[in-house]
Amino acid sequence: MIDTLLFRGIRQAKKNGFFGAYYVELTEDSFKSESTISSMSIRWDLIHRIIECRKCYLVYTQKNCAIIIPKRTFLSEEEHQNWRKQIVLFSKKEIC
């Protein structure tokens, strides 16, 4: 019984997103993110590096801690490219 409830819970979380709606904002001063359970703002000088993978971006806030931004988040290729340009401009870091 518990296994069935756990499986249903995991399936529902995957369907709705583990943390619900997630919002990211890039400003000249900081990288801001907000979800239904948390929010944070990180100054650009505290971002260690940004890595682009096949399906996502990894924005490292510490050596072994990253914020994952799925590429499926972007509604169009134009929106994706604009976001990519902004993050390079504001962070002053190359995307690896």
Side-chain angles (χ1 to χ4, degrees):
M1 177 77 165
I2 292 174
D3 290 339
T4 303
L5 292 175
L6 180 61
F7 178 73
R8 284 184 192 162
I10 292 171
R11 188 173 55 202
Q12 191 65 29
K14 284 183 179 178
K15 180 180 174 185
N16 296 330
F18 283 102
F19 302 111
Y22 193 79
Y23 176 74
V24 173
E25 179 183 3
L26 307 178
T27 68
E28 289 185 37
D29 300 323
S30 62
F31 177 95
K32 297 177 182 181
S33 68
E34 187 174 332
S35 73
T36 54
I37 61 169
S38 69
S39 65
M40 71 174 146
S41 179
I42 303 167
R43 291 189 336 255
W44 287 114
D45 61 327
L46 298 176
I47 299 291
H48 289 269
R49 64 185 167 158
I50 304 161
I51 296 177
E52 181 177 8
C53 300
R54 190 169 55 92
K55 293 187 176 185
C56 67
Y57 286 94
L58 302 171
V59 180
Y60 280 87
T61 57
Q62 296 176 12
K63 185 177 180 179
N64 296 319
C65 184
I67 300 166
I68 301 168
I69 310 294
K71 288 183 178 179
R72 69 176 186 267
T73 304
F74 303 106
L75 300 176
S76 67
E77 184 59 29
E78 182 180 357
E79 183 180 87
H80 173 218
Q81 292 305 318
N82 286 337
W83 185 87
R84 196 175 195 289
K85 287 176 188 174
Q86 278 189 320
I87 203 165
V88 169
L89 175 69
F90 294 150
S91 71
K92 298 178 178 71
K93 292 180 176 31
E94 290 297 319
I95 296 175
C96 303

XYZ file of all heavy atoms in Angstrom:
806
model
N 0.819 -1.199 0.000
C 0.000 0.000 0.000
C 0.865 1.265 0.000
O 0.622 2.177 -0.762
C -0.934 -0.042 1.216
C -1.790 1.169 1.363
S -3.148 1.098 0.198
C -4.184 2.327 0.857
N 1.875 1.280 0.865
C 2.741 2.456 0.944
C 3.507 2.640 -0.364
O 3.633 3.759 -0.853
C 3.716 2.341 2.140
C 2.927 2.432 3.439
C 4.774 3.437 2.086
C 3.732 2.189 4.681
N 3.985 1.529 -0.945
C 4.701 1.621 -2.220
C 3.828 2.227 -3.310
O 4.280 3.035 -4.107
C 5.186 0.240 -2.671
C 6.298 -0.291 -1.789
O 6.944 0.532 -1.113
O 6.500 -1.506 -1.761
N 2.561 1.836 -3.343
C 1.634 2.362 -4.345
C 1.417 3.858 -4.141
O 1.447 4.632 -5.105
C 0.282 1.625 -4.267
O 0.508 0.238 -4.432
C -0.664 2.120 -5.335
N 1.246 4.304 -2.913
C 1.054 5.728 -2.634
C 2.312 6.532 -2.964
O 2.229 7.620 -3.519
C 0.660 5.943 -1.171
C -0.720 5.425 -0.773
C -0.920 5.590 0.732
C -1.818 6.154 -1.529
N 3.473 5.968 -2.630
C 4.722 6.631 -2.940
C 4.890 6.766 -4.450
O 5.235 7.830 -4.950
C 5.900 5.864 -2.346
C 7.290 6.437 -2.598
C 7.403 7.832 -1.999
C 8.346 5.522 -2.016
N 4.619 5.715 -5.199
C 4.720 5.744 -6.655
C 3.775 6.793 -7.231
O 4.153 7.574 -8.092
C 4.414 4.364 -7.246
C 4.447 4.356 -8.741
C 5.654 4.431 -9.420
C 3.280 4.287 -9.475
C 5.695 4.438 -10.806
C 3.303 4.288 -10.861
C 4.515 4.364 -11.523
N 2.528 6.829 -6.739
C 1.569 7.840 -7.219
C 2.067 9.246 -6.921
O 1.942 10.144 -7.743
C 0.201 7.627 -6.564
C -0.570 6.489 -7.125
C -1.932 6.424 -6.496
N -2.579 5.160 -6.819
C -3.607 4.661 -6.173
N -4.104 5.302 -5.136
N -4.135 3.524 -6.545
N 2.630 9.429 -5.725
C 3.158 10.746 -5.359
C 4.293 11.178 -6.252
O 4.367 12.323 -6.682
N 5.202 10.261 -6.556
C 6.331 10.570 -7.445
C 5.839 10.865 -8.850
O 6.263 11.822 -9.483
C 7.350 9.409 -7.448
C 8.033 9.324 -6.084
C 8.368 9.578 -8.570
C 8.883 8.097 -5.907
N 4.897 10.067 -9.343
C 4.359 10.283 -10.679
C 3.674 11.651 -10.765
O 3.850 12.387 -11.724
C 3.389 9.160 -11.042
C 2.936 9.225 -12.488
C 2.122 8.030 -12.890
N 1.005 7.881 -11.984
C 0.351 6.750 -11.775
N 0.699 5.653 -12.397
N -0.660 6.688 -10.951
N 2.906 12.021 -9.735
C 2.222 13.313 -9.722
C 3.241 14.454 -9.646
O 3.085 15.469 -10.310
C 1.249 13.394 -8.527
C 0.317 14.573 -8.588
C -0.647 14.506 -9.760
O -1.025 13.439 -10.226
N -1.038 15.650 -10.251
N 4.288 14.291 -8.851
C 5.314 15.322 -8.739
C 6.017 15.530 -10.071
O 6.296 16.656 -10.467
C 6.322 14.945 -7.657
N 6.295 14.439 -10.788
C 6.930 14.567 -12.102
C 6.005 15.276 -13.080
O 6.441 16.087 -13.882
C 7.304 13.186 -12.650
C 8.524 12.592 -12.001
C 8.861 11.264 -12.643
C 10.089 10.659 -12.018
N 10.408 9.349 -12.606
N 4.726 14.990 -12.992
C 3.751 15.599 -13.897
C 3.651 17.108 -13.644
O 3.614 17.900 -14.576
C 2.384 14.938 -13.696
C 1.295 15.476 -14.582
C -0.004 14.749 -14.310
C -1.138 15.361 -15.089
N -2.415 14.750 -14.746
N 3.614 17.503 -12.386
C 3.429 18.906 -12.026
C 4.736 19.655 -11.812
O 4.734 20.847 -11.590
C 2.598 19.012 -10.746
C 1.203 18.473 -10.930
O 0.661 18.538 -12.023
N 0.635 17.923 -9.885
N 5.854 18.963 -11.860
C 7.131 19.565 -11.509
C 7.335 19.348 -10.015
O 6.404 19.499 -9.230
N 8.537 18.985 -9.632
C 8.785 18.662 -8.224
C 8.471 19.830 -7.301
O 8.024 19.647 -6.191
C 10.228 18.204 -8.018
C 10.457 16.799 -8.471
C 11.081 16.544 -9.673
C 10.026 15.730 -7.710
C 11.295 15.247 -10.099
C 10.230 14.430 -8.127
C 10.862 14.188 -9.326
N 8.717 21.043 -7.758
C 8.504 22.204 -6.907
C 7.436 23.135 -7.446
O 7.355 24.281 -7.072
C 9.818 22.957 -6.745
C 10.901 22.096 -6.173
C 11.978 21.716 -6.954
C 10.829 21.640 -4.873
C 12.971 20.910 -6.433
C 11.819 20.830 -4.344
C 12.899 20.462 -5.128
N 6.607 22.640 -8.336
C 5.557 23.464 -8.908
C 6.145 24.459 -9.901
O 7.192 24.235 -10.493
N 5.475 25.586 -10.053
C 5.932 26.620 -10.979
C 7.266 27.190 -10.508
O 7.496 27.350 -9.311
C 4.890 27.718 -11.069
N 8.146 27.484 -11.450
C 9.480 27.985 -11.143
C 9.750 29.177 -12.031
O 9.507 29.134 -13.235
C 10.495 26.864 -11.410
C 11.859 27.135 -10.855
C 12.128 26.958 -9.504
C 12.888 27.562 -11.682
C 13.387 27.195 -8.993
C 14.147 27.803 -11.177
C 14.400 27.615 -9.836
O 15.643 27.863 -9.334
N 10.240 30.253 -11.451
C 10.453 31.505 -12.170
C 11.899 31.953 -11.985
O 12.413 31.928 -10.862
C 9.486 32.557 -11.632
C 9.649 33.918 -12.219
C 9.222 34.195 -13.507
C 10.240 34.942 -11.488
C 9.378 35.460 -14.055
C 10.397 36.205 -12.027
C 9.968 36.452 -13.310
O 10.132 37.697 -13.855
N 12.563 32.341 -13.056
C 13.932 32.846 -12.995
C 13.965 34.227 -13.626
O 13.384 34.452 -14.688
C 14.910 31.905 -13.750
C 16.291 32.514 -13.826
C 14.948 30.553 -13.090
N 14.654 35.142 -12.961
C 14.805 36.502 -13.488
C 16.283 36.866 -13.471
O 16.980 36.642 -12.484
C 14.023 37.498 -12.634
C 14.145 38.917 -13.103
C 13.416 39.911 -12.216
O 12.857 39.495 -11.186
O 13.420 41.093 -12.559
N 16.763 37.428 -14.564
C 18.140 37.895 -14.654
C 18.121 39.412 -14.627
O 17.443 40.041 -15.435
C 18.782 37.418 -15.960
C 18.717 35.925 -16.257
C 19.355 35.637 -17.609
C 19.374 35.119 -15.168
N 18.836 39.992 -13.683
C 18.971 41.447 -13.626
C 20.452 41.785 -13.695
O 21.305 40.911 -13.597
C 18.376 42.028 -12.321
O 19.183 41.600 -11.216
C 16.931 41.591 -12.123
N 20.780 43.047 -13.823
C 22.176 43.452 -13.872
C 22.905 43.100 -12.582
O 24.105 42.849 -12.589
C 22.283 44.953 -14.122
C 21.901 45.349 -15.534
C 22.132 46.824 -15.791
O 23.129 47.381 -15.278
O 21.314 47.402 -16.504
N 22.183 43.060 -11.466
C 22.786 42.824 -10.160
C 22.818 41.367 -9.731
O 23.722 40.949 -9.018
C 22.039 43.611 -9.075
C 22.063 45.104 -9.338
O 23.086 45.604 -9.828
O 21.048 45.754 -9.049
N 21.807 40.597 -10.146
C 21.700 39.255 -9.576
C 20.895 38.287 -10.431
O 20.181 38.678 -11.350
C 21.068 39.336 -8.187
O 19.763 39.860 -8.279
N 21.038 37.030 -10.052
C 20.276 35.918 -10.597
C 19.206 35.615 -9.554
O 19.522 35.300 -8.402
C 21.220 34.720 -10.771
C 20.559 33.467 -11.264
C 20.560 33.159 -12.605
C 19.951 32.595 -10.386
C 19.968 31.996 -13.072
C 19.354 31.435 -10.836
C 19.361 31.134 -12.180
N 17.942 35.739 -9.922
C 16.852 35.532 -8.965
C 16.021 34.334 -9.401
O 15.755 34.163 -10.585
C 15.958 36.762 -8.891
C 16.664 37.998 -8.394
C 15.759 39.205 -8.406
C 16.534 40.431 -7.955
N 15.700 41.626 -7.919
N 15.635 33.527 -8.433
C 14.759 32.405 -8.738
C 13.704 32.291 -7.648
O 13.944 32.629 -6.488
C 15.545 31.099 -8.865
O 16.069 30.722 -7.617
N 12.539 31.816 -8.059
C 11.425 31.689 -7.124
C 10.574 30.490 -7.521
O 10.306 30.271 -8.690
C 10.577 32.964 -7.159
C 9.499 33.007 -6.126
C 8.781 34.339 -6.100
O 9.398 35.362 -6.449
O 7.598 34.348 -5.744
N 10.190 29.713 -6.532
C 9.279 28.593 -6.749
C 8.182 28.681 -5.697
O 8.153 29.614 -4.891
C 10.018 27.257 -6.641
O 10.339 26.976 -5.294
N 7.313 27.699 -5.692
C 6.223 27.713 -4.716
C 6.730 27.475 -3.293
O 6.033 27.781 -2.337
C 5.174 26.640 -5.058
O 5.833 25.383 -5.187
C 4.454 26.980 -6.350
N 7.973 26.954 -3.151
C 8.479 26.677 -1.806
C 9.688 27.509 -1.398
O 10.069 27.501 -0.238
C 8.824 25.173 -1.628
C 9.908 24.757 -2.599
C 7.587 24.317 -1.755
C 10.471 23.390 -2.313
N 10.312 28.221 -2.336
C 11.490 29.010 -1.960
C 11.736 30.140 -2.948
O 11.197 30.154 -4.048
C 12.732 28.112 -1.908
O 13.084 27.695 -3.198
N 12.574 31.062 -2.513
C 13.035 32.123 -3.412
C 14.453 32.505 -3.000
O 14.824 32.364 -1.832
C 12.116 33.336 -3.361
O 12.165 33.922 -2.089
N 15.245 32.937 -3.975
C 16.604 33.358 -3.671
C 17.083 34.365 -4.698
O 16.561 34.446 -5.808
C 17.544 32.166 -3.616
C 17.841 31.535 -4.934
S 19.095 30.281 -4.711
C 18.539 29.132 -5.928
N 18.053 35.121 -4.276
C 18.699 36.093 -5.138
C 20.197 35.958 -4.897
O 20.655 36.012 -3.760
C 18.217 37.500 -4.789
O 18.855 38.443 -5.606
N 20.954 35.760 -5.974
C 22.393 35.549 -5.863
C 23.112 36.599 -6.706
O 22.827 36.729 -7.899
C 22.788 34.140 -6.351
C 22.028 33.089 -5.562
C 24.287 33.924 -6.251
C 22.104 31.711 -6.158
N 24.008 37.337 -6.085
C 24.795 38.317 -6.825
C 25.653 37.595 -7.860
O 26.119 36.478 -7.636
C 25.694 39.105 -5.878
C 24.963 40.035 -4.964
C 25.925 40.949 -4.195
N 27.277 40.454 -4.040
C 27.782 39.964 -2.903
N 27.049 39.895 -1.815
N 29.036 39.546 -2.862
N 25.871 38.240 -8.985
C 26.624 37.623 -10.071
C 28.041 37.249 -9.664
O 28.578 36.243 -10.128
C 26.641 38.523 -11.298
C 25.331 38.563 -11.993
C 24.507 39.644 -12.111
C 24.663 37.485 -12.653
N 23.369 39.299 -12.812
C 23.443 37.968 -13.148
C 24.973 36.141 -12.863
C 22.540 37.190 -13.850
C 24.069 35.345 -13.556
C 22.879 35.874 -14.041
N 28.657 38.026 -8.795
C 30.031 37.701 -8.394
C 30.110 36.428 -7.557
O 31.188 35.881 -7.350
C 30.693 38.878 -7.672
C 29.984 39.278 -6.388
O 28.745 39.148 -6.310
O 30.666 39.739 -5.458
N 28.965 35.916 -7.085
C 28.930 34.675 -6.323
C 28.628 33.446 -7.193
O 28.640 32.324 -6.699
C 27.907 34.774 -5.186
C 28.210 35.856 -4.147
C 27.091 35.931 -3.121
C 29.551 35.622 -3.478
N 28.371 33.672 -8.468
C 28.156 32.561 -9.397
C 29.536 32.061 -9.828
O 30.355 32.819 -10.344
C 27.340 33.008 -10.637
C 25.963 33.521 -10.237
C 27.251 31.879 -11.665
C 25.009 32.491 -9.712
N 29.808 30.784 -9.603
C 31.131 30.225 -9.915
C 31.308 29.950 -11.397
O 32.333 30.286 -11.973
C 31.368 28.932 -9.123
C 31.560 29.184 -7.679
N 32.783 29.385 -7.129
C 30.670 29.296 -6.664
C 32.655 29.609 -5.836
N 31.383 29.552 -5.526
N 30.322 29.296 -12.000
C 30.404 28.992 -13.433
C 29.030 28.600 -13.952
O 28.126 28.280 -13.199
C 31.422 27.904 -13.715
C 31.074 26.571 -13.107
C 32.170 25.577 -13.313
N 31.909 24.441 -12.452
C 32.379 23.252 -12.634
N 33.141 23.004 -13.670
N 32.107 22.280 -11.813
N 28.917 28.595 -15.277
C 27.673 28.241 -15.951
C 28.028 27.209 -17.020
O 28.900 27.453 -17.858
C 27.009 29.471 -16.586
C 26.775 30.549 -15.526
C 25.701 29.085 -17.275
C 26.551 31.923 -16.085
N 27.354 26.080 -16.954
C 27.616 25.003 -17.904
C 26.352 24.719 -18.704
O 25.260 24.630 -18.130
C 28.081 23.728 -17.176
C 29.415 23.995 -16.484
C 28.200 22.557 -18.138
C 29.943 22.832 -15.673
N 26.509 24.581 -20.012
C 25.383 24.207 -20.872
C 25.492 22.729 -21.201
O 26.517 22.265 -21.709
C 25.384 25.026 -22.153
C 24.223 24.697 -23.059
C 24.166 25.546 -24.307
O 25.118 26.319 -24.564
O 23.172 25.431 -25.038
N 24.459 21.986 -20.895
C 24.367 20.568 -21.237
C 23.366 20.424 -22.387
O 22.783 21.411 -22.828
C 23.898 19.755 -20.033
S 24.997 19.888 -18.614
N 23.164 19.217 -22.820
C 22.248 18.975 -23.938
C 20.818 19.408 -23.603
O 20.145 20.015 -24.435
C 22.271 17.493 -24.306
C 21.553 17.158 -25.579
C 21.831 15.733 -26.040
N 21.530 14.719 -25.044
C 20.360 14.089 -24.947
N 19.401 14.355 -25.796
N 20.166 13.181 -24.025
N 20.362 19.155 -22.375
C 18.970 19.436 -22.019
C 18.793 20.530 -20.974
O 17.661 20.871 -20.631
C 18.309 18.162 -21.498
C 18.142 17.099 -22.560
C 17.340 15.947 -22.031
C 17.089 14.927 -23.123
N 16.214 13.849 -22.673
N 19.879 21.080 -20.454
C 19.726 22.076 -19.391
C 20.965 22.952 -19.248
O 21.989 22.698 -19.873
C 19.434 21.386 -18.056
S 20.818 20.395 -17.441
N 20.829 23.979 -18.408
C 21.948 24.797 -17.970
C 22.169 24.510 -16.493
O 21.199 24.311 -15.749
C 21.642 26.291 -18.137
C 21.673 26.758 -19.559
C 20.511 26.806 -20.314
C 22.859 27.162 -20.154
C 20.528 27.225 -21.631
C 22.889 27.583 -21.466
C 21.724 27.622 -22.197
O 21.751 28.036 -23.494
N 23.420 24.504 -16.077
C 23.775 24.357 -14.672
C 24.433 25.661 -14.239
O 25.483 26.034 -14.765
C 24.738 23.188 -14.471
C 24.231 21.834 -14.950
C 25.355 20.802 -14.892
C 23.051 21.376 -14.114
N 23.799 26.352 -13.308
C 24.327 27.612 -12.788
C 24.882 27.308 -11.399
O 24.130 27.131 -10.451
C 23.234 28.699 -12.735
C 23.806 30.003 -12.201
C 22.605 28.904 -14.118
N 26.205 27.226 -11.308
C 26.847 26.832 -10.055
C 26.936 28.010 -9.092
O 27.549 29.034 -9.401
C 28.247 26.266 -10.319
C 28.201 24.842 -10.781
C 28.043 24.539 -12.128
C 28.288 23.798 -9.877
C 27.981 23.221 -12.560
C 28.226 22.478 -10.299
C 28.070 22.201 -11.634
O 28.002 20.895 -12.049
N 26.348 27.820 -7.923
C 26.390 28.825 -6.862
C 27.484 28.488 -5.854
O 27.885 29.346 -5.074
C 25.047 28.911 -6.137
O 24.711 27.620 -5.621
C 23.957 29.386 -7.093
N 27.925 27.244 -5.858
C 29.052 26.769 -5.063
C 29.778 25.735 -5.908
O 29.293 25.347 -6.964
C 28.571 26.134 -3.756
C 27.873 27.099 -2.832
C 27.329 26.396 -1.594
O 27.642 25.250 -1.317
N 26.496 27.106 -0.858
N 30.896 25.249 -5.411
C 31.679 24.299 -6.190
C 30.862 23.069 -6.591
O 30.957 22.588 -7.716
C 32.909 23.870 -5.388
C 33.844 22.979 -6.141
C 35.066 22.642 -5.325
C 35.982 21.736 -6.126
N 37.187 21.403 -5.378
N 30.036 22.549 -5.694
C 29.271 21.329 -5.955
C 27.760 21.542 -5.841
O 27.023 20.605 -5.551
C 29.710 20.222 -4.991
C 31.144 19.818 -5.203
O 31.582 19.704 -6.339
N 31.871 19.631 -4.129
N 27.302 22.748 -6.055
C 25.869 23.055 -5.927
C 25.439 23.928 -7.103
O 26.009 24.999 -7.327
C 25.626 23.780 -4.611
S 23.896 24.111 -4.279
N 24.437 23.453 -7.850
C 24.010 24.181 -9.045
C 22.497 24.299 -9.111
O 21.771 23.441 -8.618
C 24.520 23.488 -10.293
N 22.048 25.351 -9.745
C 20.635 25.528 -10.083
C 20.475 24.974 -11.488
O 21.257 25.303 -12.383
C 20.239 27.017 -10.039
C 20.468 27.569 -8.626
C 18.802 27.210 -10.490
C 20.426 29.071 -8.549
N 19.491 24.136 -11.680
C 19.268 23.503 -12.978
C 18.148 24.248 -13.707
O 17.050 24.391 -13.174
C 18.890 22.024 -12.807
C 20.007 21.287 -12.063
C 18.605 21.383 -14.159
C 19.623 19.905 -11.595
N 18.454 24.703 -14.911
C 17.464 25.393 -15.749
C 17.227 24.518 -16.977
O 18.064 24.475 -17.887
C 17.952 26.790 -16.206
C 18.469 27.624 -15.030
C 16.871 27.507 -16.996
C 17.419 28.015 -14.027
N 16.111 23.779 -17.036
C 15.838 22.936 -18.205
C 15.618 23.788 -19.455
O 14.976 24.835 -19.408
C 14.546 22.206 -17.830
C 14.383 22.388 -16.360
C 15.088 23.670 -16.009
N 16.147 23.340 -20.579
C 15.967 24.071 -21.834
C 14.511 24.040 -22.307
O 14.078 24.923 -23.032
C 16.890 23.517 -22.916
C 18.336 23.872 -22.674
C 19.212 23.376 -23.807
C 20.645 23.772 -23.592
N 21.510 23.274 -24.674
N 13.754 23.039 -21.888
C 12.345 22.965 -22.280
C 11.533 24.125 -21.685
O 10.406 24.385 -22.094
C 11.748 21.625 -21.872
C 11.606 21.439 -20.388
C 10.907 20.115 -20.043
N 10.669 20.034 -18.631
C 11.477 19.466 -17.749
N 12.589 18.895 -18.147
N 11.180 19.450 -16.471
N 12.137 24.846 -20.751
C 11.499 26.004 -20.123
C 11.241 27.116 -21.136
O 10.265 27.834 -21.037
C 12.404 26.545 -18.997
O 12.666 25.498 -18.085
C 11.789 27.710 -18.286
N 12.140 27.235 -22.106
C 12.039 28.328 -23.071
C 10.954 28.028 -24.099
O 10.890 26.933 -24.649
C 13.382 28.553 -23.750
C 14.489 28.831 -22.767
C 15.444 27.865 -22.487
C 14.547 30.039 -22.098
C 16.448 28.095 -21.575
C 15.549 30.290 -21.168
C 16.502 29.312 -20.901
N 10.108 29.014 -24.352
C 8.974 28.832 -25.252
C 9.378 28.851 -26.722
O 8.669 28.315 -27.556
C 7.918 29.904 -24.979
C 7.342 29.908 -23.560
C 6.382 31.070 -23.380
C 6.658 28.583 -23.251
N 10.512 29.472 -27.017
C 10.976 29.523 -28.407
C 12.498 29.571 -28.425
O 13.140 29.857 -27.405
C 10.421 30.766 -29.109
O 10.994 31.941 -28.546
N 13.071 29.326 -29.586
C 14.524 29.400 -29.736
C 15.003 30.838 -29.546
O 16.072 31.082 -28.986
C 14.949 28.863 -31.102
C 16.440 28.822 -31.307
C 17.188 27.974 -30.285
O 16.630 27.000 -29.734
O 18.376 28.290 -30.020
N 14.208 31.795 -29.972
C 14.557 33.205 -29.801
C 14.635 33.567 -28.316
O 15.584 34.234 -27.874
C 13.523 34.098 -30.502
C 13.842 35.572 -30.407
C 12.808 36.433 -31.108
O 11.865 35.890 -31.717
O 12.951 37.664 -31.039
N 13.659 33.123 -27.540
C 13.663 33.369 -26.094
C 14.895 32.714 -25.453
O 15.547 33.307 -24.594
C 12.389 32.820 -25.461
C 12.274 33.101 -23.987
C 10.997 32.537 -23.408
O 10.992 31.362 -23.016
O 10.005 33.284 -23.356
N 15.210 31.502 -25.887
C 16.380 30.787 -25.379
C 17.663 31.567 -25.664
O 18.501 31.765 -24.771
C 16.425 29.391 -26.026
C 17.661 28.628 -25.703
N 18.276 27.831 -26.629
C 18.414 28.532 -24.583
C 19.351 27.285 -26.083
N 19.451 27.698 -24.848
N 17.833 32.035 -26.886
C 19.044 32.771 -27.255
C 19.148 34.106 -26.523
O 20.244 34.521 -26.123
C 19.110 32.974 -28.776
C 19.331 31.692 -29.558
C 20.554 30.922 -29.102
O 21.611 31.486 -28.844
N 20.413 29.609 -28.991
N 18.015 34.791 -26.321
C 18.016 36.051 -25.566
C 18.448 35.812 -24.119
O 19.225 36.583 -23.554
C 16.646 36.727 -25.605
C 16.355 37.351 -26.944
O 17.256 37.666 -27.716
N 15.082 37.529 -27.241
N 17.927 34.742 -23.502
C 18.286 34.395 -22.131
C 19.785 34.094 -22.052
O 20.470 34.550 -21.155
C 17.468 33.178 -21.673
C 17.684 32.816 -20.242
C 17.033 33.317 -19.169
C 18.635 31.864 -19.731
N 17.515 32.739 -18.019
C 18.498 31.852 -18.340
C 19.578 31.034 -20.332
C 19.269 31.031 -17.528
C 20.361 30.223 -19.521
C 20.194 30.227 -18.137
N 20.271 33.350 -23.026
C 21.691 32.978 -23.063
C 22.574 34.224 -23.171
O 23.586 34.339 -22.476
C 21.928 32.044 -24.259
C 23.212 31.289 -24.227
C 23.258 30.302 -25.413
N 24.277 29.320 -25.262
C 25.586 29.554 -25.355
N 26.018 30.763 -25.613
N 26.447 28.583 -25.200
N 22.206 35.175 -24.017
C 22.965 36.421 -24.165
C 22.959 37.225 -22.868
O 23.977 37.777 -22.463
C 22.390 37.272 -25.303
C 22.695 36.731 -26.670
C 22.013 37.562 -27.736
C 22.155 36.904 -29.102
N 21.390 37.622 -30.136
N 21.785 37.294 -22.222
C 21.674 38.048 -20.972
C 22.533 37.452 -19.871
O 23.194 38.180 -19.136
C 20.228 38.094 -20.491
C 19.390 39.141 -21.149
C 18.046 39.254 -20.465
O 17.439 38.262 -20.078
N 17.584 40.470 -20.304
N 22.519 36.139 -19.738
C 23.280 35.527 -18.647
C 24.781 35.721 -18.848
O 25.522 35.944 -17.896
C 22.889 34.043 -18.423
C 23.242 33.627 -17.001
C 23.512 33.124 -19.452
C 22.599 32.350 -16.537
N 25.247 35.705 -20.082
C 26.666 35.963 -20.367
C 26.991 37.430 -20.087
O 28.008 37.742 -19.461
C 27.019 35.588 -21.820
C 28.389 36.098 -22.215
C 26.939 34.081 -22.008
N 26.122 38.332 -20.513
C 26.331 39.771 -20.307
C 26.371 40.113 -18.813
O 27.298 40.788 -18.357
C 25.217 40.558 -21.004
C 25.220 42.067 -20.799
C 26.409 42.697 -21.504
C 23.917 42.664 -21.291
N 25.384 39.669 -18.057
C 25.292 40.025 -16.640
C 26.329 39.308 -15.782
O 26.906 39.901 -14.875
C 23.890 39.740 -16.096
C 22.810 40.598 -16.687
C 21.521 40.112 -16.812
C 23.055 41.894 -17.125
C 20.513 40.897 -17.351
C 22.062 42.686 -17.663
C 20.788 42.177 -17.783
N 26.574 38.034 -16.035
C 27.495 37.269 -15.193
C 28.959 37.564 -15.518
O 29.839 37.320 -14.690
C 27.246 35.770 -15.343
O 27.660 35.320 -16.611
N 29.204 38.068 -16.741
C 30.571 38.294 -17.225
C 31.377 36.993 -17.218
O 32.571 36.983 -16.976
C 31.255 39.386 -16.407
C 30.565 40.728 -16.517
C 31.239 41.760 -15.666
C 30.614 43.116 -15.798
N 29.312 43.262 -15.206
N 30.672 35.889 -17.476
C 31.299 34.573 -17.535
C 30.905 33.899 -18.835
O 29.791 34.053 -19.308
C 30.846 33.701 -16.365
C 31.352 34.191 -15.025
C 30.861 33.296 -13.929
C 31.392 33.659 -12.571
N 31.693 35.000 -12.269
N 31.833 33.139 -19.390
C 31.524 32.350 -20.567
C 30.739 31.114 -20.150
O 30.954 30.578 -19.065
C 32.813 31.938 -21.276
C 33.546 33.082 -21.940
C 32.749 33.730 -23.051
O 32.100 32.981 -23.840
O 32.768 34.950 -23.145
N 29.881 30.648 -21.023
C 29.159 29.405 -20.770
C 30.016 28.262 -21.280
O 30.454 28.270 -22.435
C 27.781 29.417 -21.465
C 26.911 30.523 -20.857
C 27.104 28.062 -21.340
C 25.578 30.705 -21.530
N 30.291 27.318 -20.416
C 31.129 26.160 -20.773
C 30.286 25.074 -21.411
O 29.154 24.890 -21.139
C 31.810 25.604 -19.544
S 32.800 26.814 -18.664
